[in-house]
């Protein structure tokens, strides 16, 4: 059992997560309460859903910087479609998710067809997306939304907050997609050696297009949850969210060079960031210092994980 | 000398005797114990029993540093030079402050220049090492050993990254070292060089010393038999196979700017060789047929039907298989398992609605691995942990899974050990007997002529002629290949 644990690629981040939990638990009695645990999960749900989607992109050797903007566009779209007296909720949700996939496909098509590095492509679409969100909303927050949309953000089913249910469903879906399907296998193959995968007959361009579609889909889902939670479609929502999501993926042990990574690792990375934010809040560290500490911890986590991986060998 | 490591014996009672100024080759399959033997001599690992005597002194149990001091050094496959430092500084690295006090850079350069003059080397001593070719870097590393007054130099596959011209230069240097009284123990997979410059050759197999032979008293064939441990009728196995229907017809095919006017036929049960110099366009022809770089003119017929693959997956589905010339670049995904590498691109055989059928995949790859005699711990092992020969066999396993009618093999035995080579030749013969067509591209002239039934010679993107087995002599092929 010990051996199995040591061999796991997520062993390092798991230990780190346990350590920070113990640290905050010893600093304040308010940390280890069922209420606080639920708060953490609820808080991380948006970042988790973004991070799950972008994990596929990063494993395939790409990057998606447009996540935050796609989230904002989707948030505005779902708000527009869910205003009092407009369409039924499910139509709004479906169209928003499709819009997210379409925006992802736009990223993917540019990456595949132009051969411009994904970093540049998605840097461009990040700005385009923000502009589209402002255009669609005419630069103003969209309020007066359908009650049933708000339920997705702050309701609960059998005592479990709805965003946490979305988090769990997304986790299971992505985990299965990455480890149990041919698609997931080929995503890893492309990240590991794109030329070899192509020569072996893998439809490389098709798979690359799809990873951006998945990233767009989950950005849209995150946008829906955020809009539902704040009960407003905010064109400025999600600024910088892509960085938190990418940080979580990397802390979770996914290689920035592609080819390696797990959804479980990403979940642990998201929780790691979420626990630190929550813990620092509980012990009353100022928001400015929180950012400094967070940045330092991210670097430290990756350095320690590197050492840990070496130690295993 | 015996040596065991983590429970399982790696070397068993190995006896090896080296004379002064002797060039001694050490051969054996990957995993036969060559590197363990080297490491034992260098004191990196210590033998569980036995002893190592160097000029009447017991040296085992000494530290690596002490052994270096006795005059034994080792050249690793990956060179251990500092690219940003000059040639002279690299040679004196770590010894600038030795006995005679601090040496100035000028003094170091003078001393290195004197050393290079002695061996007639024209490498400038003041350029940065990173500006030298691999061959020259290797010479710098050897010179470092010489300047440390090494009496014995161990070299692990010294020629594996050298070009033919560089090997000649290297050979001369080795002979000069011998003249200067330095003994050399090296490993190699290349028969020609073993016979070209070794005085003596020792064979290791599964951790046991099979024997030591003078190179003028043994021939390559017998040597390979000693390595494999069984009798071989022919290192390039042959059999009379009846040639059947045409499988591939290439008619006036071209790829704009790369090659043009290529015409040949591959029939069932035959091997067609593509000969030519590196860069003549042979690799491109293979890649065009397979859809990696689709051809732009002419026509290809496959199994009688017009065939134009726009993507490798189309060629695979039509029943072709392809092996790229560079295993690391075009073949394996290093971080993935043996199993995942073997089924790459073929997952349509092991899926149900996108879901991977893990049991079926495992069974198919393990059956295949057994049939190909792949040496591995288990099929979930990362492919990068295997030797080159075994990695290549995994890629053959991938081709066989597709049940191909036509196999395009580009440099199928490059950089792999002799035994794996023999296994691959035997496999090619089996495929021939099973009525497959094989297009073989190889820069190893002997291999190409021995394995092919006919040879098409390519030069500068054009076809220079087709030779039957009887006509195809190395001289005739070269003459056509050099045709301007």
């Amino acid at each position: 059992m010990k051996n199995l644990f040591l061999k796991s690629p997520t062993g390092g981040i798991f230990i780190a997560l346990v350590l920070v939990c113990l640290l905050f638990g010893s600093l304040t009695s308010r940390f280890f309460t069922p209420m606080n645990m639920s708060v953490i999960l609820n808080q991380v749900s948006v970042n988790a859903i973004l991070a799950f989607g972008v994990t596929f992109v990063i494993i395939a050797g790409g990057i998606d910087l447009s996540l935050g903007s796609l989230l904002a566009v989707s948030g505005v779209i779902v708000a527009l479609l869910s205003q009092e007296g407009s369409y039924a909720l499910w139509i709004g949700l479906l169209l928003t998710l499709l819009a997210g996939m379409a925006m992802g496909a736009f990223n993917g098509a540019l990456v595949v067809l132009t051969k411009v590095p994904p970093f540049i492509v998605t840097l461009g679409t990040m700005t385009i997306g923000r502009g589209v969100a402002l255009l669609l909303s005419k630069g103003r927050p969209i309020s007066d939304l359908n009650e049933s949309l708000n339920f997705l953000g702050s309701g609960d089913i059998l005592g479990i907050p709805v965003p946490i249910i979305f988090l769990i469903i997304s986790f299971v879906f992505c985990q299965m997609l990455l480890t149990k399907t041919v698609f997931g296998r080929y995503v890893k193959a492309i990240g590991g050696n794109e030329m070899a995968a192509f020569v072996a007959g893998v439809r490389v361009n098709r798979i690359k297009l799809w990873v951006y579609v998945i990233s767009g889909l989950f950005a849209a889902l995150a946008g829906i949850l955020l809009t539902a939670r704040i009960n407003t479609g905010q064109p400025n929502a999600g600024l910088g969210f892509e960085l938190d999501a990418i940080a979580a993926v990397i802390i979770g042990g996914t290689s920035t060079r592609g080819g390696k990574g797990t959804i479980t690792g990403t979940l642990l990375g998201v929780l790691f960031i979420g626990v630190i934010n929550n813990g620092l809040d509980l012990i009353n560290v100022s928001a400015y210092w929180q950012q400094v500490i967070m940045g330092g911890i991210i670097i430290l986590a990756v350095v320690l994980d590197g050492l840990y991986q070496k130690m295993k060998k | 000398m015996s040596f065991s490591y983590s429970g399982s014996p790696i070397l068993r009672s190995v006896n090896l005797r080296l004379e002064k100024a002797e060039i001694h080759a050490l051969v054996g399959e990957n995993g036969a114990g060559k590197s363990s033997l080297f490491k034992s001599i260098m004191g990196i690992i210590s033998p569980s029993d036995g002893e190592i005597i160097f000029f009447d002194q017991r040296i085992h149990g000494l530290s690596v540093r002490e052994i270096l001091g006795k005059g034994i050094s080792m050249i690793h496959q990956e060179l251990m030079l500092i690219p940003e430092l000059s040639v002279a500084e690299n040679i004196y690295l770590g010894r600038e402050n030795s006995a005679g006090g601090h040496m100035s850079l000028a003094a170091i350069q003078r001393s290195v220049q004197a050393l290079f003059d002695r061996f007639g080397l024209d490498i400038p001593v003041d350029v940065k090492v990173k500006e030298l070719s691999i061959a020259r870097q290797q010479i710098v590393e050897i010179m470092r050993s010489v300047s440390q007054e090494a009496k014995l130099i161990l070299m692990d596959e010294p020629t594996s990254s050298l070009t033919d011209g560089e090997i000649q230069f290297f050979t001369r240097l080795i002979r000069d070292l011998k003249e200067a009284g330095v003994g050399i123990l090296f490993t190699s997979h290349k028969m020609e060089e073993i016979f070209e410059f070794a005085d003596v050759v020792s064979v290791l197999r599964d951790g046991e010393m099979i024997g030591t032979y003078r190179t003028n008293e043994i021939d390559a064939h017998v040597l390979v038999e000693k390595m494999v441990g069984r009798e071989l009728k022919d290192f390039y196995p042959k059999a009379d196979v009846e040639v059947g229907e045409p499988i591939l017809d290439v008619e006036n095919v071209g790829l704009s700017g790369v090659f043009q006017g290529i015409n040949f036929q591959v029939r069932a049960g035959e091997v067609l060789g593509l000969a030519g110099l590196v860069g003549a366009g042979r690799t491109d022809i293979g890649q065009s047929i397979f859809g990696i770089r689709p051809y732009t003119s002419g026509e290809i017929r496959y199994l009688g039907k017009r065939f134009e693959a726009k993507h490798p997956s189309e060629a695979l589905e039509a029943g072709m298989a392809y092996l790229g010339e560079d295993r690391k670049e075009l073949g394996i995904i290093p971080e993935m398992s043996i199993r995942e590498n073997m089924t790459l691109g073929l997952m349509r055989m092991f899926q149900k609605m996108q879901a991977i059928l893990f049991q079926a995949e495992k069974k198919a790859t393990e059956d295949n691995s057994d049939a190909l005699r792949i040496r591995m711990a288990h099929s979930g092992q990362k492919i990068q942990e295997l030797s080159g020969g075994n990695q290549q066999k995994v890629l053959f396993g991938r081709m066989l899974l597709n049940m191909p009618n036509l196999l395009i093999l580009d440099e199928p035995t490059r950089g792999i050990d002799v035994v794996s080579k023999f296994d691959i030749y035997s496999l090619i013969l089996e495929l021939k007997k099973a009525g497959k067509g094989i297009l073989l591209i190889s820069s190893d002239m002997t291999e190409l002529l021995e394995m092919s039934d006919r040879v098409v010679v390519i030069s500068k993107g054009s076809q220079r002629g087709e030779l039957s087995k009887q006509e195809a002599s190395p001289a005739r092929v070269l003459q056509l290949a050099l045709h301007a």
Side-chain angles (χ1 to χ4, degrees):
Chain A
M1 191 57 208
K2 188 187 159 203
N3 202 4
L4 196 90
F5 177 71
L6 275 176
K7 272 188 182 160
S8 150
T10 52
I13 175 65
F14 182 75
I15 293 169
L17 180 61
V18 170
L19 288 179
V20 293
C21 285
L22 292 175
L23 176 71
F24 287 122
S26 69
L27 289 174
T28 167
S29 58
R30 289 182 298 155
F31 183 77
F32 277 121
T33 60
M35 180 63 191
N36 192 44
M37 293 295 120
S38 170
V39 165
I40 292 175
L41 283 176
N42 209 336
Q43 275 174 348
V44 300
S45 56
V46 167
N47 189 31
I49 287 167
L50 283 177
F52 292 153
V54 79
T55 301
F56 289 90
V57 179
I58 296 176
I59 293 177
I63 193 85
D64 188 349
L65 297 178
S66 69
L67 291 177
S69 298
L70 298 195
L71 176 147
V73 177
S74 312
V76 168
I77 292 176
V78 77
L80 288 171
L81 295 173
S82 311
Q83 288 196 295
E84 288 291 357
S86 61
Y87 307 99
L89 179 67
W90 70 269
I91 295 179
L93 295 182
L94 187 68
L95 290 176
T96 307
L97 294 177
L98 287 176
M101 292 171 80
M103 291 185 286
F106 182 66
N107 273 333
L110 283 176
V111 168
V112 167
L113 297 177
T114 65
K115 311 275 178 212
V116 173
F119 183 87
I120 310 291
V121 167
T122 57
L123 196 62
T125 55
M126 172 171 100
T127 310
I128 296 174
R130 189 60 62 187
V132 171
L134 289 162
L135 283 170
L136 288 175
S137 63
K138 302 193 177 68
R140 286 190 298 270
I142 300 158
S143 45
D144 296 325
L145 307 185
N146 208 322
E147 275 296 304
S148 50
L149 179 67
N150 186 240
F151 175 78
L152 296 181
S154 36
D156 59 75
I157 296 171
L158 301 173
I160 306 170
V162 179
I164 297 179
I165 294 173
F166 273 101
L167 184 152
I168 294 168
I169 294 171
S170 304
F171 172 75
V172 172
F173 176 82
C174 290
Q175 172 73 8
M176 302 291 275
L177 188 60
L178 187 61
T179 59
K180 307 286 183 206
T181 70
V182 176
F183 173 79
R185 171 78 61 86
Y186 286 172
V187 167
K188 281 187 238 169
I190 290 172
N193 183 348
E194 184 172 330
M195 217 26 223
F198 170 68
V199 168
V202 174
R203 291 278 183 179
V204 172
N205 285 349
R206 200 178 287 175
I207 304 263
K208 277 167 106 177
L209 183 71
W210 271 104
V211 297
Y212 288 95
V213 170
I214 288 171
S215 183
L217 170 69
F218 282 93
L221 181 58
I224 291 170
L225 288 184
L226 191 63
T227 297
R229 179 182 295 163
I230 58 180
N231 216 4
T232 320
Q234 273 282 7
N236 286 319
L239 265 176
F241 278 25
E242 59 279 347
L243 299 181
D244 275 350
I246 293 167
V249 174
I250 292 164
I251 291 174
T254 294
S255 164
T256 44
R257 278 168 299 166
K260 265 196 305 192
T262 60
I263 298 295
T264 319
T266 297
L267 177 65
L268 293 171
V270 166
L271 290 174
F272 185 74
I273 293 178
V275 163
I276 290 170
N277 277 330
N278 171 271
L280 292 176
D281 268 339
L282 290 183
I283 59 172
N284 295 319
V285 174
S286 89
Y288 304 150
W289 273 109
Q290 282 195 23
Q291 298 205 20
V292 175
I293 293 169
M294 185 55 109
I297 286 175
I298 289 173
I299 296 171
L300 188 69
V302 176
V303 170
L304 287 180
D305 192 55
L307 291 177
Y308 177 79
Q309 301 295 342
K310 249 186 222 155
M311 217 173 64
K312 275 198 309 189
K313 287 181 182 164
Chain B
M1 181 180 85
S2 289
F3 173 73
S4 60
Y5 180 71
S6 47
S8 68
I10 302 264
L11 292 176
R12 279 178 291 241
S13 305
V14 167
N15 292 298
L16 183 70
R17 189 183 167 82
L18 271 108
E19 304 293 331
K20 189 167 185 286
E22 177 178 83
I23 305 181
H24 197 124
L26 187 62
V27 298
E29 239 181 311
N30 284 319
K34 289 172 295 184
S35 34
S36 301
L37 183 57
F38 272 19
K39 285 181 189 156
S40 313
I41 298 174
M42 289 307 295
I44 299 167
I45 50 180
S46 37
S48 44
D49 54 41
E51 52 185 15
I52 306 171
I53 312 274
F54 185 63
F55 286 105
D56 299 329
Q57 280 183 299
R58 287 167 52 109
I59 58 162
H60 70 266
L62 297 183
S63 72
V64 178
R65 221 187 152 76
E66 287 166 324
I67 287 172
L68 283 171
K70 297 279 179 199
I72 306 184
S73 63
M74 176 164 172
I75 313 288
H76 296 263
Q77 254 175 302
E78 293 80 29
L79 298 179
M80 309 239 168
L81 296 170
I82 301 186
E84 288 292 339
L85 290 182
S86 74
V87 169
E89 286 167 309
N90 262 291
I91 287 179
Y92 269 83
L93 194 65
R95 293 182 296 148
E96 300 89 342
N97 291 311
S98 54
H102 184 78
M103 280 177 85
S104 70
L105 182 59
I108 290 175
Q109 287 184 350
R110 269 199 305 280
S111 156
V112 171
Q113 190 61 55
L115 179 69
F116 281 14
D117 289 345
R118 208 171 99 210
F119 285 95
L121 301 175
D122 63 346
I123 301 174
V125 298
D126 54 350
V127 302
K128 286 183 181 172
V129 156
K130 67 172 182 188
E131 284 159 26
L132 301 178
S133 68
I134 296 289
R136 288 176 159 232
Q137 291 187 14
Q138 197 163 30
I139 287 163
V140 171
E141 185 141 346
I142 294 169
M143 282 298 128
R144 176 153 75 188
S145 301
V146 174
S147 79
Q148 290 166 351
E149 272 144 39
K151 298 184 198 81
L152 172 63
I153 304 180
L154 312 183
M155 300 185 187
D156 193 6
E157 293 200 39
T159 60
S160 60
S161 49
L162 305 187
T163 64
D164 288 348
E166 291 169 340
I167 290 175
Q168 283 184 4
F169 188 74
F170 175 79
T171 311
R172 238 187 20 243
L173 179 66
I174 297 290
R175 295 218 174 96
D176 289 346
L177 286 173
K178 181 182 158 78
E179 294 279 298
V182 179
I184 290 164
L185 178 63
F186 73 102
T187 63
S188 176
H189 286 320
K190 296 180 191 161
M191 286 294 141
E192 311 90 71
E193 71 189 33
I194 291 165
F195 286 96
E196 197 177 331
F197 53 78
D199 303 314
V200 179
V201 54
S202 290
V203 180
L204 268 179
R205 190 203 315 143
D206 296 332
E208 280 181 81
M209 185 55 82
I210 302 303
T212 298
Y213 315 89
R214 300 207 65 81
T215 48
N216 52 14
E217 290 165 4
I218 188 172
D219 64 25
H221 187 81
V222 179
L223 186 58
V224 173
E225 284 188 347
K226 302 273 183 208
M227 291 166 68
V228 188
R230 55 193 145 100
E231 278 190 27
L232 306 176
K233 274 219 327 271
D234 189 346
F235 186 55
Y236 300 98
K238 290 176 190 72
D240 283 327
V241 177
E242 202 175 319
V243 174
E245 294 291 298
I247 289 184
L248 185 76
D249 278 293
V250 174
E251 282 174 18
N252 209 21
V253 165
L255 175 62
S256 57
V258 184
F259 61 85
Q260 65 287 317
I262 305 297
N263 286 287
F264 60 75
Q265 195 173 58
V266 183
R267 284 167 295 185
E270 74 168 355
V271 177
L272 178 74
L274 279 190
L277 303 178
V278 171
R282 299 167 304 162
T283 293
D284 310 275
I285 294 170
Q287 294 194 340
S288 263
I289 298 168
F290 198 67
I292 296 169
R293 302 167 71 193
Y295 61 95
T296 49
S297 61
E299 184 175 286
I300 289 178
R301 277 199 309 281
Y302 174 65
L303 299 174
K305 273 184 267 172
R306 197 184 141 74
F307 179 77
E308 193 182 356
K310 290 291 182 205
H311 189 279
S313 63
E314 294 174 18
L316 279 169
E317 275 164 40
M320 288 187 185
Y322 177 84
L323 182 74
E325 67 175 329
D326 185 331
R327 184 169 61 245
K328 287 205 175 72
E329 204 181 310
L330 301 177
I332 64 164
I333 312 243
E335 287 284 344
M336 294 185 105
S337 68
I338 293 164
R339 202 178 337 174
E340 289 166 328
N341 268 285
M342 204 183 277
T343 56
L344 185 68
L346 301 171
M347 290 305 292
R348 63 187 144 82
M349 304 163 102
F350 307 104
Q351 69 162 36
K352 198 170 184 180
M353 307 270 294
Q354 275 287 318
I356 298 173
L357 304 172
F358 289 99
Q359 285 305 320
E361 185 193 18
K362 188 162 188 269
K363 184 168 185 326
T365 50
E366 285 178 359
D367 289 352
N368 230 341
S369 305
D370 289 345
L372 289 163
R373 301 200 304 121
I374 296 175
R375 275 181 188 227
M376 59 183 191
H378 54 90
S379 67
Q381 199 183 357
K382 281 186 186 172
I383 195 168
Q384 62 186 356
E385 293 167 9
L386 298 185
S387 70
N390 282 310
Q391 291 181 2
Q392 196 76 338
K393 286 185 186 176
V394 173
L395 296 180
F396 266 89
R398 185 197 291 169
M399 289 194 283
L400 297 185
L401 271 183
N402 197 38
M403 310 267 193
N405 294 307
L406 176 76
L407 292 96
I408 302 168
L409 309 177
D410 197 349
E411 306 289 358
T413 66
R414 179 181 281 178
I416 67 176
D417 63 283
V418 190
V419 178
S420 299
K421 272 187 188 179
F422 176 71
D423 285 342
I424 285 175
Y425 297 142
S426 308
L427 180 64
I428 291 175
L429 181 65
E430 289 307 311
L431 290 164
K432 231 170 94 162
K433 284 184 187 163
K436 315 291 187 195
I438 291 152
L439 182 63
L440 176 66
I441 302 168
S442 175
S443 299
D444 179 338
M445 180 75 86
T446 321
E447 165 181 297
L448 189 76
L449 297 186
E450 290 280 346
M451 295 306 295
S452 305
D453 297 300
R454 285 178 299 128
V455 174
V456 165
V457 187
I458 311 291
S459 165
K460 295 188 179 167
S462 299
Q463 189 163 338
R464 297 299 175 195
E466 183 174 320
L467 305 171
S468 69
K469 192 159 189 95
Q470 291 71 33
E471 295 167 320
S473 65
R476 185 86 184 96
V477 170
L478 261 182
Q479 188 196 3
L480 288 171
L482 291 169
H483 188 287

